[in-house]
């Protein structure tokens, strides 16, 4: 029987196994182009910051009594109308238009909180007695709080100093641990979070209290933590790959690797805050918890967003201007490198032919195997005879 090459009889190559988006996301195998789509994030953030600044200049912030100073009364809202509260204030020489009247929910029912500017002690006691009479409750059930304006100025000054000191320490640490360009990206993200968070408070009229300031400083720390996690992965991949890929490709690879970790971290932080906000403030009526949890919720969302779409793309823009990465981009062309290739360069591994061909060189085509006609598989090799 004559051996004839029959390459058509060879079995076809196995097709690559398809995986779901959740599998790729969990294993860091997604290929989203964060740097290439950075303009969408920049424009979205620019729009939010513009709205925040316009709201701050036109509406201002709803500062609590601890910042503005003044007098506040709280009484049960049941059986009392806002018109009766206005009448009590007018009777004691206080303009109702300048007063801030809020309804606070709690386990014991709704309560009115009335805040006005600083008043003499005699006026404070008279208003308290008239409010108790209107509500039909004893005077001791109407709470009275008086704060001087110097206390609010002191709190504001301490908050500003704490923010400035924190930004300086952050810049020094990141510059020493990584480099100054990463510090720039992190600081821009922090300022971004502060402006948007404050703008949301101004736009929706949420009250700013000392608990709000503490929460803001807390969420800035969370935002920095998320940013540092991404920067650490970028730094690690950049050392492995060097200038064999553009810095944008290295950033995209790193972001896709840590995306699932960022999502899990954000969810793990947001869920307890939501529980604190719903159970603590709405069900139990703890106003201090409401101020703290609300600021945490707003900050956690903005911090998670900025670490992915603001800090890291800014880093990529700054690093792409370095000579070695300019040369890499000129060598590789304007288009991004195949993500599988970049993963292989980073030592993650890739089984795709295009990745292995680009990293290891041109692939060598396998030699055809001689298959006798009529057979669907190569013959078994003959055993060699032993020499005696």
């Amino acid at each position: 029987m004559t051996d004839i090459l029959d390459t058509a009889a060879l079995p076809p190559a196995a097709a690559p196994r398809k995986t779901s988006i959740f599998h790729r996301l969990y294993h860091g195998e997604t290929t989203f182009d964060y740097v290439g789509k950075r303009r969408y994030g920049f424009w979205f953030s620019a729009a939010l910051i513009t709205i925040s600044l316009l709201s701050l200049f036109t509406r201002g912030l709803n500062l609590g009594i601890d910042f503005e100073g003044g007098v506040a009364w709280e009484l049960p809202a049941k059986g009392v109308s806002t018109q009766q509260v206005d009448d009590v204030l007018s009777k004691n020489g206080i303009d109702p238009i300048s007063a801030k009247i809020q309804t606070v929910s709690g386990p014991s029912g709704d309560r009115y909180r009335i805040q006005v500017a600083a008043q003499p002690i005699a006026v404070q006691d008279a208003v308290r007695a008239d409010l108790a009479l209107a509500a039909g409750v004893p005077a001791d059930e109407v709470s009275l709080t008086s704060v001087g304006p110097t206390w609010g100025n002191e709190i504001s000054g301490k908050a500003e100093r704490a923010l400035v000191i924190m930004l300086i320490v952050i810049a020094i640490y990141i510059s020493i641990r990584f480099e100054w360009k990463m510090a720039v990206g992190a600081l821009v993200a922090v300022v971004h979070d502060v402006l948007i968070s404050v703008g949301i408070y101004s736009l929706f009229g949420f009250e700013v209290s000392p608990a709000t300031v503490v929460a803001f400083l807390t969420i800035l720390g969370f935002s920095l933590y998320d940013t540092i996690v991404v920067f650490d992965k970028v730094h690690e991949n950049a050392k492995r790959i060097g200038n064999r890929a553009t810095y944008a490709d290295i950033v995209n690879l790193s972001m896709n690797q840590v995306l699932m970790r960022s999502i899990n971290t954000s969810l793990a932080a947001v869920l307890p805050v939501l529980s604190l906000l719903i159970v603590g403030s709405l069900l139990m009526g703890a106003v201090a918890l409401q101020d703290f949890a609300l600021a945490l919720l707003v900050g956690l969302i903005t911090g998670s967003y900025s670490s992915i779409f603001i800090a890291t793309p800014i880093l990529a823009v700054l690093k792409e201007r370095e000579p070695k990465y300019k040369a890499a981009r000129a060598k590789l062309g304007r288009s991004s490198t195949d993500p599988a290739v970049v993963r292989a360069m980073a030592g993650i591994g890739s089984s795709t032919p295009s990745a292995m061909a680009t990293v290891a060189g041109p692939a060598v085509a396998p030699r055809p195997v001689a298959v006798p006609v009529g057979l669907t598989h190569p013959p078994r090799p003959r055993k060699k005879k032993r020499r005696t």
Side-chain angles (χ1 to χ4, degrees):
M1 183 181 293
T2 306
D3 289 349
I4 300 176
L5 289 177
D6 188 5
T7 56
L10 293 174
R17 185 171 59 90
K18 294 184 179 180
T19 56
S20 65
I21 181 63
F22 298 103
H23 180 274
R24 297 197 303 272
L25 184 64
Y26 185 80
H27 290 85
E29 297 174 355
T30 53
T31 58
F32 186 79
D33 186 7
Y34 293 92
V35 179
K37 307 295 184 183
R38 65 184 182 275
R39 289 182 178 84
Y40 295 102
F42 289 169
W43 279 113
F44 181 68
S45 295
L48 291 180
I49 291 174
T50 302
I51 295 172
S52 299
L53 293 176
L54 288 175
S55 179
L56 284 172
F57 285 121
T58 56
R59 295 169 55 91
L61 288 172
N62 180 19
L63 298 175
I65 189 174
D66 296 292
F67 290 97
E68 287 189 330
V71 185
W73 298 271
E74 278 195 23
L75 70 151
K78 185 177 181 180
V80 184
S81 64
T82 55
Q83 182 60 46
Q84 289 177 288
V85 174
D86 291 343
D87 294 340
V88 169
L89 295 177
S90 301
K91 175 184 175 182
N92 291 276
I94 302 174
D95 186 6
I97 298 177
S98 62
K100 183 163 45 177
I101 304 175
Q102 296 175 301
T103 303
V104 181
S105 300
S108 58
D110 293 341
R111 295 176 65 85
Y112 283 135
R113 179 191 292 173
I114 306 142
Q115 182 177 335
V116 299
Q119 301 293 329
I121 296 178
V123 175
Q124 298 177 22
D125 295 336
V127 171
R128 183 179 186 180
D130 291 341
L131 289 175
L133 183 63
V137 296
D140 57 0
E141 289 192 19
V142 178
S143 63
L144 172 62
T145 306
S146 179
V147 178
T150 55
W151 170 255
N153 294 334
E154 185 179 351
I155 290 290
S156 302
K158 288 182 177 180
E160 293 172 0
R161 288 193 297 272
L163 181 60
V164 171
I165 293 172
M166 189 179 85
L167 292 178
I168 294 174
V169 172
I170 289 167
I172 295 173
Y173 169 75
I174 297 179
S175 299
I176 295 174
R177 174 64 178 83
F178 298 108
E179 58 176 304
W180 68 268
K181 292 176 182 177
M182 289 188 176
V184 171
L187 291 179
V188 171
V190 167
V191 175
H192 166 276
D193 296 343
V194 171
L195 288 176
I196 292 181
S197 299
V198 173
I200 291 175
Y201 263 72
S202 172
L203 191 63
F204 292 97
F206 299 142
E207 184 176 351
V208 179
S209 65
T212 307
V213 176
V214 173
F216 276 152
L217 296 177
T218 304
I219 53 99
L220 292 182
F222 172 83
S223 174
L224 285 167
Y225 164 77
D226 212 14
T227 303
I228 293 298
V229 168
V230 179
F231 282 178
D232 186 65
K233 179 58 70 174
V234 173
H235 185 66
E236 177 186 345
N237 287 334
K239 292 173 72 174
R240 289 181 179 179
I241 299 173
N243 61 350
R244 291 179 293 163
T246 65
Y247 202 83
D249 293 325
I250 296 173
V251 166
N252 284 332
L253 169 66
S254 306
M255 286 298 309
N256 284 289
Q257 284 180 293
V258 301
L259 179 60
M260 193 65 203
R261 178 175 178 177
S262 298
I263 293 174
N264 288 336
T265 303
S266 301
L267 287 177
V270 166
L271 290 178
V273 172
L274 279 176
S275 301
L276 191 67
L277 184 62
I278 295 173
V279 178
S281 62
L282 298 182
L283 299 182
M284 300 179 63
V287 179
L289 289 179
Q290 178 181 353
D291 297 339
F292 186 75
L294 185 61
L296 279 180
L297 182 63
V298 172
L300 287 174
I301 295 174
T302 56
S304 301
Y305 166 80
S306 66
S307 64
I308 298 174
F309 296 102
I310 301 298
T312 316
I314 287 177
L315 171 65
V317 171
L318 295 176
K319 293 289 290 185
E320 284 283 319
R321 298 178 181 179
E322 293 184 0
K324 68 175 183 179
Y325 290 114
K326 279 186 177 180
R329 179 165 289 278
K331 179 181 178 181
L332 297 172
R334 299 297 298 176
S335 59
S336 297
T337 308
D338 185 355
V341 175
V342 185
R343 285 198 295 271
M345 289 178 180
I348 301 170
S350 176
S351 58
T352 59
S354 61
M356 300 310 298
T358 308
V359 177
V364 179
R367 296 179 61 185
V369 180
V371 182
V373 177
L375 295 180
T376 59
H377 58 277
R380 295 177 61 182
R382 296 178 179 179
K383 295 182 179 180
K384 293 183 179 180
K385 297 182 179 180
R386 290 186 180 181
R387 293 182 180 180
T388 58

